[in-house]
Amino acid sequence: MAVAEGDAPPTTQEEYFDVLTKTGQKTGISKPRGDVHRDGDYHRAVHVSIFAESTQELLIQRRADCKDSWAGLWDISSAGHISAGDSSLITARRELQEELGIVLPKDAFEMLFVFLQECVTNDGKFINNEFNDVYLVTTVDPIPLEAFTLQETEVSAVKYISYEDYRSLLAKEDPKYVPCDVNGQYGQLFDIIARRYKENTIDRNLSLQKQLKRYAPVSLCAELTGLTEADREALVLLLMAAAIVDQIFYLQVWYSNPVLREWLKEHADASQLDKLKWMYYVIDKSPWSSLDENEAFLTTADSAIKLLPEATRPVTGWKGLEYKVAFPVLKPPGANFYPPDMDKVEFELWKKSLTEDQKQAATSFFTVIKRQSESSLDSSLYGSTDGSTKHSVTSTHDLYSVPFSQEYNAFLTQAAELLHKAGELASSPSLKRFFHSKADAFLSNDYYDSDIAWMELDSKLDVTIGPYETYEDALFGYKATFEAFIGVRDDKATAQVKLFGDNLQVLEQNLPLDSVYKSKDVISAPIRVIDLIYNAGDVKGPQTAAFNLPNDERIVKDRGTSMVMLKNISEAKFKHILQPIADVCITKEQQELVDFESFFTHTICHECCHGIGPHGITLPDGRKSTVRLELQELHSALEEAKADIVGLWALKFLIDKDLLPKSLLKSMYVSFLAGCFRSVRFGLEEAHGKGQALQFNWLYVEGAFILNPDETFSVDFTKVEGAVETLSRAILTIQEKGDKEAANVLLQKHGILTDPLKVALQKLEKIQVPVDIVPTFPVVDKILEQRQ
């Protein structure tokens, strides 16, 4: 395949490249372009291919005769080296503009894959060891050739060619074309296009139907008779605010996600396949399937069409360039919180250059990270910006942080106004305070007071709204997504679970952890049991049955946490999922031990145990830090595992203290075993699924869980208590030491799909037990209908 760029003009200062290791990591060294190719240094470049859907053709360019390699030969649409300090996506956009005169926004570029090109030309004088980021731009129709503005020093001509013909010519090593091993890594480009446009519609229909069947539709009802008339009026405003939170979450997942959503919704009635696409998208809120390790169930071919007349030179009679809004097949680990081409190394190098306050902003729950170069490029190309360039330059690095209050200002201003109005109507003083303080937080980006107000909420109408969980940030686990949970408090059930929150300090002091690490000031956690009326935002895929908030370590230290249990969600999960799992996977002699009381009680204890154990920690070198900051992307899975397994330990402790009935003793372990199979089905890319696999495999290895000859499972009650305690100690110790390496070893060894787990999952697949539920909210539908 071609070298990314040719000779620099004589009057231009020679370009510098970042020198990479053989595995593609930056060395911290940059060298002139000529030296890099003379010495054979590894470096990075971009390749961009433009594909026309209607004709199934790729655009190719003829390299200028003055090029220092492959002069005069036909090559891919555009390519370019990534200069020292530059980013991949910015380079791809800039090269397309400079070489072909095509100006496109970032949502036109689909990152496909990275391949390593190693070759020697010009009698050994030109050594090219190049990591290439391959992008695809998909247009509806071919771009008229007269619409291009060619860079004469780089490109002498362009033409379209069938992608199959192009592949065939390359395979035959036609001398008119830049050589490329299409049977090697670069052949993925042609394979991806072929799969995308030759897919069998019937097979795809069946595949989506199968995916949808994994969710049991559940109608969630809640009794509103306990709400005052004022609270019912506030509820309407709250539902409107939740709808805005929903829009923010779509944007947080990926920058082109909102456009994709509107397109799929608008075209849902076009065919059966389009209807199925929309139905499954509504569950996952993105093109990536939560239950399939985030595998994409849609491609850019399914996406929205945008018309951009100003993208090229105007041509008489042509309305302009229409392109497909792109998204990558592989779910970006940093979601839309970071630049898509930013890696962890770049972030850490930037963070080292910052002051302590700036570091806090960089790793804050409530900021996004952007590129100055992207803002500058958008400004130069389009003459205006979205306002994100109004920031203070904190270093010579390209990255900078933007608070949520600025990034989502248009949404949050509307939501804040609605919450203030709801606060004026609310009958409970604590609910009034919560609404007003959360509205203020949306605009100030300071959530401390509003989170305290949420913890002190004492109202029949129970509300959680704002940015909380960090699961979507798989790169670092720093950034919070917006969510909303609206419910009616179950006063009787809330009174019954008070003992869990009241005993947190006792549990902390008796944790299976070295005493030096135990906190002496754990605060009792209030627990509220509610029936869910409506949820929005980060509620994709498997539904949460409980949550423990806030995650802000400052508040956890000062005030502890508060828990909300969604009882009607738990009841639906037990009825539709856990009970059928137990009937198939648990040995007949222990099936009767699986009951809702044990399931729900452990769920409560799980959430309580998020509030105990290490949070703020002191590292071996004396530095103060937090578990979240030290374990980064591993934190969520390990924290979920901790809450689960320590929750089991805590139940046994409370039973021994006669605070819970001894009838729970065996049933809690067997119900937990059945629950392992439920959670692992969420996928090992999901924090709860990976954490559950870790626990099951540990307990299985320790002999606490047994696989019987008839392929059912049972609990060995003589071994389970000890195994629970040793795993609890292992996880708590890793967290206290902030030992990311040990966390990685533990998850790599046990957080995997082992043969015993496969046995259970295959059995469940055969009888098609649902993996989770998908709720509908008739109460809300009725309220909204009455308002119209």
Side-chain angles (χ1 to χ4, degrees), residues 414-430:
Q414 296 177 56
E417 184 178 345
L418 289 165
L419 289 185
H420 276 310
K421 289 181 179 178
E424 293 167 4
L425 291 169
S427 57
S428 160
S430 67

Side-chain angles (χ1 to χ4, degrees), residues 169-414:
L169 288 165
L170 292 174
K172 294 174 183 176
E173 299 182 1
D174 189 298
K176 296 178 183 177
Y177 294 81
V178 173
C180 175
D181 181 10
V182 292
N183 295 316
Q185 297 177 66
Y186 201 77
Q188 294 176 79
L189 169 65
F190 303 96
D191 294 339
I192 289 168
I193 293 173
R195 283 197 306 270
R196 190 167 288 185
Y197 293 97
K198 291 183 178 180
E199 189 169 33
N200 185 299
T201 301
I202 295 175
D203 288 346
R204 196 166 180 205
N205 269 305
L206 291 173
S207 177
L208 283 167
Q209 287 170 358
K210 185 178 180 181
Q211 288 175 305
L212 281 163
K213 283 181 180 178
R214 294 178 297 180
Y215 288 93
V218 173
S219 177
L220 287 185
C221 297
E223 187 58 61
L224 300 185
T225 52
L227 298 184
T228 66
E229 192 60 38
D231 282 349
R232 291 184 185 222
E233 288 296 314
L235 174 60
V236 175
L237 297 170
L238 190 56
L239 292 172
M240 295 167 66
I244 295 172
V245 160
D246 213 40
Q247 294 179 63
I248 297 175
F249 175 69
Y250 281 106
L251 184 58
Q252 289 183 305
V253 172
W254 187 244
Y255 49 78
S256 61
N257 198 33
V259 176
L260 173 64
R261 179 185 183 277
E262 292 307 310
W263 177 268
L264 293 173
K265 183 179 180 181
E266 183 181 337
H267 293 82
D269 294 330
S271 69
Q272 176 65 13
L273 179 57
D274 287 304
K275 182 180 181 181
L276 292 171
K277 289 179 193 174
W278 170 241
M279 289 173 66
Y280 199 56
Y281 178 90
V282 167
I283 292 173
D284 273 299
K285 296 196 164 190
S286 81
W288 302 288
S289 174
S290 301
L291 294 182
D292 298 295
E293 313 291 338
N294 288 322
E295 180 181 337
F297 63 93
L298 300 173
T299 72
T300 296
D302 301 306
S303 193
I305 297 172
K306 274 190 180 180
L307 172 64
L308 200 63
E310 65 273 21
T312 67
R313 177 189 292 170
V315 175
T316 304
W318 181 55
K319 63 181 178 181
L321 187 151
E322 287 183 297
Y323 70 91
K324 287 293 189 75
V325 175
F327 53 86
V329 172
L330 297 178
K331 188 176 188 295
N336 194 25
F337 297 120
Y338 308 92
D341 52 3
M342 186 205 83
D343 59 21
K344 297 184 75 168
V345 173
E346 181 183 6
F347 182 89
E348 294 293 353
L349 286 172
W350 168 60
K351 194 175 77 169
K352 286 180 181 178
S353 73
L354 303 177
T355 65
E356 285 305 313
D357 286 347
Q358 292 163 352
K359 286 178 182 177
Q360 287 185 15
T363 59
S364 166
F365 289 107
F366 314 123
T367 61
V368 296
I369 307 302
K370 294 198 162 190
R371 288 197 183 282
Q372 299 177 41
S373 56
E374 183 181 332
S375 300
S376 300
L377 181 62
D378 286 340
S379 180
S380 66
L381 294 180
Y382 304 115
S384 63
T385 70
D386 60 3
S388 63
T389 54
K390 296 177 182 178
H391 64 279
S392 57
V393 178
T394 56
S395 72
T396 57
H397 292 264
D398 195 24
L399 303 175
Y400 67 98
S401 59
V402 180
F404 281 1
S405 55
Q406 181 178 329
E407 179 71 4
Y408 311 123
N409 182 261
F411 296 115
L412 292 175
T413 300
Q414 296 177 56

Side-chain angles (χ1 to χ4, degrees), residues 11-30:
T11 56
T12 305
Q13 184 177 354
E14 188 169 10
E15 187 178 14
Y16 274 68
F17 300 157
D18 287 317
V19 175
L20 310 178
T21 66
K22 289 185 177 182
T23 57
Q25 302 299 311
K26 287 184 178 180
T27 62
I29 300 170
S30 61

